[in-house]
Amino acid sequence: MRDINVYGFIGDGWDETDMTATKFANELKEANGEAVTIHVNSGGGDVFDANTMAELLRSYQGESTCIIEGLAASAASYFALTADKVVIGDSALMMIHNPYSFSGGTAEDLRKTADFLDKVKSTIVNQYVRKTGKDEGTISDLMDSETWFTAKEAVENGFCDSIVAMEPVAACIDPEQAKRFKNAPKDLLDIPAVVDGNGAGETEPTIPGSNNGGKAVSGADKVETGAVSKTVCVNGKFLTY
């Protein structure tokens, strides 16, 4: 049995906890057909790294289980669904929304970017449809609304297979990051304590824009921990005390 941690940003960010498609491919190669358990606590990241990771996991020859331990948002949510079995911690959250990017140039340039985002969304919709069995229109509406699911709701809607009891885990996300989501739960906005470090959470476009040389970066610079939790997330890693 191999454990693979997807904690933090998906893609080439600034922190050692970030998970790239290359790193994930190497982890699976080292597993060499053994059963793997993917531990997820991530606010998302780069669409193309997440798509690649999803296809790598889907084609993996060994048995795969994904455990959503804290947060599976945006790109992390549809990546997580490609495991053979998907379970979610009873205090964890899942979020789906539309991909986004930034662009500059002429009106025609902006129209091309919008058309491209529509194509990217269609590939993500297919990931959710494949897991849940819901129709494309329903999934598209859920993404348009930026929908957050509790563990119970994630199972009821077919995104996860079952719920596993876990110690409470504080959301590893900066409230300033959470404010960039349209419908972030109030609990994510009210976490009181701040610990230095980089945590999960998507603050930059899910598709690299043209102003940064094609490199997706994470703007996360804080980790939030709840004083009442027994388990906290620091630099994308769970620490129990």
Side-chain angles (χ1 to χ4, degrees):
M1 172 71 73
R2 284 292 190 104
D3 292 292
I4 301 176
N5 296 332
V6 180
Y7 295 160
F9 189 76
I10 292 177
D12 191 7
W14 292 341
D15 190 84
E16 64 180 10
T17 61
D18 298 337
M19 176 60 76
T20 65
T22 299
K23 287 169 65 175
F24 190 72
N26 289 337
E27 294 259 17
L28 289 181
K29 183 177 180 179
E30 290 176 5
N32 194 30
E34 290 183 53
V36 295
T37 299
I38 317 295
H39 302 269
V40 175
N41 181 39
S42 171
D46 184 83
V47 164
F48 302 114
D49 270 53
N51 281 345
T52 302
M53 290 163 58
E55 294 306 321
L56 286 167
L57 185 56
R58 185 174 281 122
S59 62
Y60 183 64
Q61 295 302 305
E63 180 183 354
S64 61
T65 300
C66 176
I67 303 177
I68 300 172
E69 297 179 339
L71 175 67
S74 191
S77 64
Y78 63 80
F79 154 70
L81 304 187
T82 55
D84 297 325
K85 182 179 179 182
V86 184
V87 299
I88 184 169
D90 51 7
S91 63
L93 291 171
M94 182 177 179
M95 183 274 279
I96 69 174
H97 70 165
N98 289 328
Y100 61 98
S101 185
F102 55 82
S103 182
T106 66
E108 184 60 27
D109 292 329
L110 298 178
R111 277 189 282 270
K112 288 179 179 178
T113 297
D115 290 341
F116 179 63
L117 283 171
D118 286 340
K119 290 182 179 181
V120 171
K121 178 179 178 177
S122 70
T123 67
I124 298 172
V125 167
N126 289 337
Q127 299 271 21
Y128 295 131
V129 168
R130 185 168 182 169
K131 176 63 178 178
T132 67
K134 295 181 182 294
D135 62 80
E136 293 181 4
T138 298
I139 293 295
S140 180
D141 289 344
L142 290 170
M143 292 173 67
D144 289 344
S145 301
E146 188 194 288
T147 305
W148 292 75
F149 300 95
T150 63
K152 182 173 182 291
E153 291 167 340
V155 172
E156 289 175 346
N157 282 276
F159 292 95
C160 298
D161 301 313
S162 61
I163 299 173
V164 60
M166 300 178 68
E167 293 185 54
V169 178
C172 180
I173 189 168
D174 185 336
E176 290 305 312
Q177 299 167 27
K179 289 175 184 176
R180 301 194 184 198
F181 296 131
K182 292 186 296 185
N183 300 317
K186 187 174 183 296
D187 288 348
L188 288 186
L189 304 176
D190 293 340
I191 302 170
V194 176
V195 179
D196 290 338
N198 293 327
E202 183 174 273
T203 64
E204 297 297 333
T206 54
I207 299 174
S210 59
N211 294 348
N212 65 347
K215 181 178 180 180
V217 297
S218 170
D221 60 3
K222 300 175 184 175
V223 172
E224 299 300 328
T225 61
V228 297
S229 297
K230 293 182 180 179
T231 305
V232 297
C233 180
V234 177
N235 280 354
K237 299 176 182 178
F238 296 115
L239 305 177
T240 301
Y241 66 97

